[in-house]
Amino acid sequence: WTGKPGQHYDKLKTWAELFNRPDFLYVATEGKKGIQPNQTAYAFPQSGLYSMRSSWDPAAIALVLKCGPNGGGHSQPDNGTFSLYAGGRNLTPDSGSFIYSGDPEGRAWFRQSKVHQTLTLNGEDIAYAPKLLLWKPGEKHDILVVENQNYEGMAHRRAVIFYNKSFFILVDEAIGNEKGTLDLNFQLAPGEVSMNKENLAVQTLFDKGYNLSIKAHETSGLQLGAKEGQVSFIYTIKEPRPAFSFNKEWDGKKKGLRFITSLVPFQGETPTDLDVRLASKTKVGSNKVSLEIISDGEKEIITYTF
């Protein structure tokens, strides 16, 4: 999740030879040798890792999401979190580990649920209780729906739609009857950002390469606020980075709340022609959700069911 791009290429080359995997060699050599993998979406439910990408070009758009069991000492309570890459840049890197001892704000701070791409209640750490509800890769769109019982009285259901293999739509539902402040947390790569609280939108401001626009589309009662952000790419070294959350007060009624968010990697001008809304009135926790998506002047209804 953190570290330098290509840091595992040598291992992939070794495994390519050991297990006769020319697709490993293709990735390790960035397409110079081997055979290109025959798919761009992979699900590994036992470990809880899911990957979607636009292509096998090194500059592709890709998202890797985690929703798995407790992995022991190196695991973090962060089910639902993800890293989003575009053009070789990790736009939402994991917080990293920083240091394991000797610092009161070390590993304990960096492993908190709220410093990942998660849905938290009152900032408290979440549990490990994952479910895969839907895995539906397709030629045009990839759809993933996972769920985690974050707290005794609240499950977090996250749907990810990789729309036209170019941007992502998240549908996050808090299901249950808990009460408190819900935070839909996001952590970005180090750098400058713009934060528009009125329009509930945040975007990175890199001079070159890909940027990321994150915008809320289910906005009733929603607020946008900056959070403390840190990241550690190298052990014992940390640096500040932008972090924020969309937050709502939850009174425990109606059996839950829903967030709809778009994450759009882009180059050049900020995209402004995207709108996402529910296509029909749907209760939180329903096993069928339809979205109306307007992008580049075209409208499409996407329905996922499980």
Side-chain angles (χ1 to χ4, degrees), residues 16 25-26 39 95-96 120 122 124 166 215 231 235 241 290 302-303:
L25 184 61
Y26 184 94
Q39 60 195 80
S95 295
T120 55
N122 299 325
E124 297 176 1
S166 60
K215 180 175 173 55
V231 64
Y235 189 62
R241 50 101 166 254
S290 292
I302 291 184
T303 300

Side-chain angles (χ1 to χ4, degrees), residues 62-248:
L63 182 144
V64 181
L65 181 143
K66 173 202 167 188
C67 188
N70 189 340
H74 288 275
S75 189
Q76 301 178 141
D78 59 2
N79 272 349
T81 197
F82 58 83
S83 285
L84 193 164
Y85 305 79
R89 173 175 287 154
N90 188 344
L91 292 159
T92 60
D94 182 80
S95 295
S97 55
F98 176 47
I99 194 168
Y100 282 93
S101 62
D103 189 319
E105 295 186 358
R107 174 64 172 161
W109 190 95
F110 282 79
R111 74 185 302 276
Q112 294 177 100
S113 299
K114 65 183 180 181
V115 301
H116 296 82
Q117 331 293 342
T118 53
L119 181 65
T120 55
L121 179 67
N122 299 325
E124 297 176 1
D125 284 349
I126 65 177
Y128 299 91
K131 293 180 182 178
L132 171 62
L133 301 181
L134 178 67
W135 173 244
K136 189 179 179 181
E139 288 189 13
K140 186 176 182 183
H141 314 303
D142 297 330
I143 302 175
L144 167 68
V145 185
V146 294
E147 186 172 295
N148 190 71
Q149 190 68 38
N150 283 11
Y151 311 101
E152 183 176 350
M154 190 200 99
H156 172 209
R157 182 176 296 173
R158 167 162 281 176
V160 182
I161 300 171
F162 191 13
Y163 186 86
N164 203 24
K165 307 296 176 73
S166 60
F167 63 85
F168 300 90
I169 298 166
L170 302 183
V171 181
D172 289 289
E173 295 180 330
I175 304 169
N177 56 7
E178 284 279 13
K179 298 180 181 180
T181 301
L182 285 170
D183 283 287
L184 185 61
N185 303 289
F186 293 96
Q187 329 291 318
L188 302 174
E192 297 296 318
V193 300
S194 68
M195 186 176 295
N196 189 322
K197 293 186 177 183
E198 182 178 351
N199 292 330
L200 298 170
V202 178
Q203 76 169 59
T204 61
L205 298 173
F206 296 109
D207 292 333
K208 298 179 180 179
Y210 272 92
N211 278 289
L212 178 64
S213 172
I214 302 178
K215 180 175 173 55
H217 297 270
E218 180 84 356
T219 60
S220 177
L222 193 62
Q223 295 184 333
L224 167 62
K227 298 287 186 178
E228 181 183 5
Q230 298 186 76
V231 64
S232 176
F233 294 107
I234 301 172
Y235 189 62
T236 74
I237 298 174
K238 62 181 177 180
E239 60 182 299
R241 50 101 166 254
F244 68 94
S245 78
F246 297 117
N247 57 79
K248 279 186 179 182

